[in-house]
Amino acid sequence: MHELAVCQGLMAQVDQIARREAAERITRILLSIGPLSGVEATLLREAFPIAAAGTVAEGAELAIEEQDVKVKCLSCGAESAARANRLLCAACGDYRTRLISGDEMLLMSVELERRENA
Ligand SMILES: [Zn+2]
């Protein structure tokens, strides 16, 4: 499952943050996922507890927010929101656009608990 690998990569990132912050436990993880990132939020939620088991993030809440799809028009230069399956410029209707958001998976924030005597 692709999403499990994605989750494991995420756990490595979260683990680094936990070490840096001397955190004992991660309680919440906020992700931003673009509809064109190739990552399914539903599958990610299923894979998360498996990837998190035995890590500092075990039992953490996984919050996922969906990214807007935005394009920059190569014809008129406008930046506009687009639909994932129809990347047209909203200003002039040109199809020659460059994707500027909507294809990423970003770790937005983590909430953590620190050790008592850290
Ligand atoms: Zn345009």
Side-chain angles (χ1 to χ4, degrees):
M1 184 163 60
H2 167 64
E3 274 72 13
L4 184 56
V6 170
C7 259
Q8 282 162 342
L10 178 67
M11 283 308 114
Q13 246 183 300
V14 166
D15 188 57
Q16 265 187 358
I17 296 169
R19 278 166 206 267
R20 197 176 65 212
E21 302 291 328
E24 191 169 32
R25 228 164 64 80
I26 301 290
T27 52
R28 187 172 189 265
I29 298 172
L30 176 61
L31 285 183
S32 168
I33 296 181
L36 299 168
S37 65
V39 178
E40 278 287 337
T42 320
L43 295 177
L44 205 59
R45 279 183 210 284
E46 285 173 17
F48 177 70
I50 302 164
T55 74
V56 281
E58 183 164 2
E61 180 199 344
L62 180 66
I64 296 175
E65 57 177 34
E66 187 153 309
Q67 252 165 52
D68 293 333
V69 176
K70 282 193 197 128
V71 293
K72 183 174 173 67
C73 180
L74 300 179
S75 182
C76 76
E79 290 184 5
S80 57
R83 289 214 306 269
N85 57 356
R86 208 173 146 81
L87 302 176
L88 298 180
C89 171
C92 74
D94 204 299
Y95 64 90
R96 285 168 297 171
T97 57
R98 187 167 57 82
L99 191 66
I100 51 177
S101 95
D103 64 343
E104 295 167 305
M105 186 188 89
L106 299 170
L107 177 59
M108 303 300 284
S109 68
V110 298
E111 283 170 25
L112 46 82
E113 281 172 10
R114 285 201 171 81
R115 284 186 204 104
E116 296 286 309
N117 304 314

